[in-house]
Amino acid sequence: MEQAARLRPAFAGEAGRVTAAAEQPGKVIELEAVSVRYGLGRSATTALDETTLDVRKGEFISFVGPSGCGKSTILRLVSGLVRPTSGVVVVGGREVGVKALRIGMAFQNASMMPWLTVERNVMLPLKIVQPFRSEYRRKRKSEFRDRVRDLLAQVGLGGFANHFPWQLSGGMLQRANLCRALVHDPQLLLLDEPFGALDQFTREELWGTLQALWLAKRPTVLLVTHDLREAAFLGSRICVMSPRPGRIIDDRPVPFSYPRTLAMTYEPEFVALGKRMRELIAPLQPAGEGG
Amino acid sequence: MARFSRVLSATAVILGFFAVWELLCRLLHVSDLVLPLPSQVLVTLVTRFPDLWPHLAQTIMSTLTGFALGVLAGVVTGVMIGSSRLAYDTLYPLLIGFSSVPKVAIIPIFVIWFGAGTVPAVLTALSLSIFPVVVNVATGISTSEPELEDVLRALGASRGDILWNVALPRTLPYLFASLKVAITVAFIGSITSETIASNYGIGTVMMVASANFDVALLFAGLALISITGIALYGLFSFAEARLTGWATRESAVAT
């Protein structure tokens, strides 16, 4: 009964649809014929075109595709930062905008507040998101601090809680960024090229960190990336997108079991998977030829 | 060691300035009525300090009161202008118009409304200190990085949350930079008002000294004003360094 009350639709007209969603408790995100256009009139660009996508609880979906294919737009839709021009976005059984799920988000830019220490930066979601918000004043110096410190220790930032962001390297900032996205135990984690600005070695190290964090809590994850190896290493499912206007042109599971290791990425099956994605993304410009 | 020699050389240059002044006055036999000797000014300052102090205290009080109210009004207006296009389009032109009017021209109006004395001094200090605060706070708020705001917005934060946790802390360095300017002009404002319409305060002392051709006292008053101005500026510089060290980085503050 309580479940039904919580899933009451945001708009009366959506009643039928949302009830249908409630019958399949596994679905966390549903995009139905969603389009997003930026701008008006003739100068409008279609970032996302008639996209339909279902995401089930606990999945780790990697989105890959060329620049400007609307990958980030999907994340921004799901987080409510962008509204669909047409179509329906349902997150956690509710029309997006009504916060039905706790969402954690990390961008390519670590976006740490320069005036806060790493610890206070990571603690920020606890200050904003319920149910932590109402306990923030009482617990920020005890329980919440321990929680943040534990998380920082898990990603190897144990000794840096009281440092300021400018005292950290790019890789360390991204670790802190991951911690901030995870500190409030989100049911849904949205990662927008979080390792895009890092060097290869740091990036591969952070894949392991992210995988461990994900396996521990199993939130649903949407990851946007340009790196095909990264997509295949982390994702339980990969969606390949076409260039503008963005569409999902390929959507299939990754047939490797967790936890994955870097050695796996050099196995023939894994390499073949990467090659197939590469061909889907740019069939007309084979890598290594022409140019 | 480097710090010590810096302080030493700065002190030497400043003392040298007064020494040259003293020397030139003595060599060229400049009349006391035109330019008194620094030593004379110092003596006057020390001997008459008990008389000057209550006036100075009065001026500092009106300055700080006007400044505090001005900063409060300035921050509120600045936040509005920085976060709303409508406020930017309507309040900003009004504010610029108001600020372009010389305050000397407004003091008589304050006097008509509130009588001579403390109130016009406070109001003048207030009206002078608003402008720099508004401009800086508005700049800080409106240039707030959308990436930082998105972090909170994705968490479902309200506009108030974002203002409190991102825009305002980000604006602090801008605010403090403006406070140093604002406190200086507030001090000038209250003194100006006192010279025009008051019978108390350091501005009044200056007027009386001028009427009596008491040039040494006039210069002693000037010296007192300068020293107080430096002290007020230093106070806010210190607060700035302590509270917004993240913006200048610790290393820059330490030197």
Side-chain angles (χ1 to χ4, degrees):
Chain A
M1 275 316 284
E2 197 198 333
Q3 178 88 352
R6 235 181 334 115
L7 293 172
R8 189 173 298 137
F11 305 105
E14 296 293 330
R17 266 192 32 69
V18 175
T19 317
E23 280 161 13
Q24 290 176 303
K27 279 188 189 173
V28 175
I29 302 169
E30 292 170 85
L31 303 189
E32 221 175 79
V34 176
S35 296
V36 174
R37 274 183 289 279
Y38 294 113
L40 288 169
R42 239 178 295 165
S43 63
T45 51
T46 305
L48 199 65
D49 190 33
E50 297 278 318
T51 297
T52 299
L53 176 75
D54 282 352
V55 180
R56 295 189 171 277
K57 192 161 181 285
E59 279 193 294
F60 192 129
I61 304 196
S62 301
F63 292 92
V64 293
S67 299
C69 68
K71 305 184 296 279
S72 301
T73 303
I74 291 186
L75 295 200
R76 298 177 80 84
L77 272 170
V78 171
S79 64
L81 290 176
V82 166
R83 299 236 146 219
T85 313
S86 65
V88 185
V89 180
V90 178
V91 177
R94 283 195 174 191
E95 188 97 7
V96 77
V98 186
K99 293 285 172 187
L101 287 183
R102 273 202 305 278
I103 295 180
M105 196 162 182
F107 302 91
Q108 175 174 358
N109 191 321
S111 299
M112 292 282 135
M113 313 293 158
W115 52 89
L116 296 178
T117 59
V118 171
E119 179 180 291
R120 298 298 295 272
N121 261 297
V122 172
M123 214 185 276
L124 212 49
L126 302 179
K127 195 175 175 184
I128 303 294
V129 177
Q130 292 291 11
F132 308 100
R133 185 185 181 123
S134 30
E135 302 175 318
Y136 182 75
R137 283 190 166 277
R138 204 150 36 84
K139 295 188 176 170
R140 66 178 163 179
K141 296 221 167 111
S142 52
E143 194 187 314
F144 287 178
R145 175 151 61 185
D146 296 342
R147 186 193 185 101
V148 169
R149 300 227 159 161
D150 281 352
L151 202 54
L152 286 172
Q154 275 180 54
V155 302
L157 287 179
F160 295 91
N162 291 323
H163 283 56
F164 280 90
W166 52 269
Q167 295 171 308
L168 268 58
S169 69
M172 292 159 101
L173 285 175
Q174 271 316 337
R175 286 167 204 271
N177 199 12
L178 277 184
C179 289
R180 185 172 60 186
L182 284 162
V183 70
H184 54 300
D185 267 338
Q187 291 134 310
L188 181 58
L189 181 60
L190 306 174
L191 304 173
D192 194 349
E193 292 183 50
F195 313 131
L198 303 176
D199 64 273
Q200 185 79 29
F201 303 112
T202 312
R203 196 185 304 172
E204 289 176 356
E205 209 183 311
L206 282 174
W207 294 351
T209 308
L210 176 56
Q211 179 175 251
L213 291 170
W214 178 65
L215 288 174
K217 293 273 169 71
R218 277 289 182 148
T220 309
V221 184
L222 303 191
L223 168 76
V224 162
T225 177
H226 278 123
D227 186 334
L228 301 179
R229 278 180 73 226
E230 180 172 303
F233 181 90
L234 287 165
S236 65
R237 189 174 142 198
I238 300 178
C239 291
V240 180
M241 298 191 64
S242 68
R244 196 164 281 161
R247 263 205 195 97
I248 296 173
I249 52 171
D250 188 70
D251 180 352
R252 64 185 67 200
V254 180
F256 302 106
S257 60
Y258 292 98
R260 295 173 185 162
T261 58
L262 281 177
M264 284 170 85
T265 65
Y266 299 105
E267 281 170 20
E269 265 181 283
F270 193 99
V271 174
L273 182 69
K275 186 161 177 278
R276 200 171 53 77
M277 284 192 286
R278 183 75 191 79
E279 281 162 359
L280 279 167
I281 289 170
L284 298 178
Q285 303 138 10
E289 283 176 39
Chain B
M1 209 52 220
R3 191 182 160 76
F4 177 72
S5 72
R6 243 180 88 188
V7 171
L8 201 71
S9 54
T11 315
V13 170
I14 292 166
L15 287 180
F17 168 76
F18 290 108
V20 169
W21 175 355
E22 178 94 24
L23 224 84
L24 283 178
C25 282
R26 283 183 191 274
L27 288 174
L28 303 172
H29 302 287
V30 178
S31 157
D32 289 356
L33 283 179
V34 178
L35 187 63
L37 299 166
S39 53
Q40 260 181 314
V41 174
L42 190 67
V43 169
T44 315
L45 190 59
V46 171
T47 51
R48 309 206 39 190
F49 190 75
D51 302 333
L52 287 169
W53 168 244
H55 290 285
L56 182 67
Q58 157 76 17
T59 307
I60 291 176
M61 276 318 293
S62 358
T63 303
L64 289 181
T65 311
F67 168 77
L69 295 173
V71 169
L72 200 70
V75 168
V76 172
T77 320
V79 167
M80 280 162 67
I81 288 177
S83 51
S84 142
R85 181 129 296 267
L86 180 70
Y88 182 89
D89 290 341
T90 53
L91 286 179
Y92 223 175
L94 275 175
L95 189 79
I96 294 166
F98 176 72
S99 300
S100 309
V101 176
K103 295 301 166 290
V104 181
I106 294 185
I107 293 167
I109 301 175
F110 289 155
V111 174
I112 290 175
W113 288 346
F114 303 103
T118 311
V119 180
V122 169
L123 286 178
T124 314
L126 186 157
S127 60
L128 272 166
S129 48
I130 281 184
F131 191 61
V133 175
V134 170
V135 172
N136 275 31
V137 169
T139 308
I141 296 272
S142 64
T143 56
S144 171
E145 291 93 337
E147 292 85 4
L148 295 186
E149 295 184 0
D150 276 354
V151 170
L152 290 204
R153 208 171 284 134
L155 293 168
S158 65
R159 278 188 72 168
D161 287 334
I162 292 171
L163 184 69
W164 186 251
N165 289 293
V166 182
L168 281 181
R170 208 206 90 91
T171 302
L172 269 189
Y174 292 84
L175 174 64
F176 272 97
S178 75
L179 292 189
K180 290 188 291 187
V181 179
I183 189 68
T184 317
V185 292
F187 193 48
I188 293 173
S190 54
I191 293 170
T192 311
S193 176
E194 284 164 1
T195 57
I196 292 176
S198 183
N199 47 19
Y200 215 61
I202 202 78
T204 313
V205 172
M206 301 290 286
M207 284 313 282
V208 172
S210 148
N212 294 340
F213 283 98
D214 191 346
V215 181
L217 182 62
L218 210 49
F219 273 81
L222 276 185
L224 204 55
I225 290 169
S226 297
I227 292 164
T228 313
I230 291 170
L232 290 172
Y233 184 93
L235 190 71
F236 284 94
S237 285
F238 178 72
E240 178 185 26
R242 290 302 300 271
L243 292 173
T244 64
W246 60 268
T248 43
R249 313 258 157 118
E250 246 154 47
S251 56
V253 174
T255 50

